[in-house]
Amino acid sequence: MDNSVKAEACHTDDNSTSCRKSHHPERVKKDLTTRLNRIEGQIRGIKGMIEKDVYCDDVITQLSATQSALNSVAKILLEGHIKGCVVDRLSEGDNEVIDELVVTIQKLMKK
């Protein structure tokens, strides 16, 4: 992801700080959607493998590949969040975003 995504990734609605939305450029949304569609197909394939009693090691290999693909999506979103939301909120003096970011990273590291 390049710096042109920086300020476009996340946005706080001016009417309410509790209603935050992300605003990714169309090319980023398209990339994420393509990746998620591929992951969805992988999940369907894994389900089919289970139904066909495919050897466990082969299923685990596919699960690992799917988890890796999900991690790639998370990395793209996290990068946009840090370069956009976090930087913007810090520049506005909102230091609470650091605590929020720590919790988000902890959630990602649980996996």
Side-chain angles (χ1 to χ4, degrees):
M1 180 179 295
D2 60 39
N3 289 335
S4 66
V5 177
K6 180 181 167 191
E8 301 177 53
C10 300
H11 172 72
T12 303
D13 188 338
D14 292 335
N15 297 329
S16 169
T17 58
S18 65
C19 182
R20 292 181 288 189
K21 295 182 180 183
S22 57
H23 296 280
H24 302 285
E26 283 305 313
R27 63 180 171 69
V28 173
K29 288 196 315 193
K30 183 178 179 184
D31 177 49
L32 292 171
T33 300
T34 299
R35 289 171 184 265
L36 290 168
N37 286 339
R38 193 174 309 126
I39 292 166
E40 186 177 22
Q42 287 176 296
I43 296 294
R44 280 193 303 272
I46 293 167
K47 181 180 175 190
M49 292 172 79
I50 298 288
E51 291 168 350
K52 294 175 186 172
D53 296 320
V54 171
Y55 186 59
C56 297
D57 189 57
D58 295 335
V59 175
I60 290 168
T61 298
Q62 289 305 311
L63 285 168
S64 177
T66 303
Q67 185 63 57
S68 178
L70 281 169
N71 287 342
S72 292
V73 170
K75 287 176 191 176
I76 291 168
L77 288 170
L78 182 61
E79 181 180 354
H81 180 61
I82 292 169
K83 289 180 177 180
C85 295
V86 174
V87 169
D88 291 346
R89 288 176 60 190
L90 284 173
S91 69
E92 294 168 1
D94 182 359
N95 291 328
E96 289 180 20
V97 71
I98 297 296
D99 294 330
E100 179 185 282
L101 180 60
V102 168
V103 169
T104 298
I105 292 171
Q106 288 172 341
K107 288 177 188 176
L108 285 172
M109 293 179 74
K110 284 183 184 180
K111 298 172 179 10

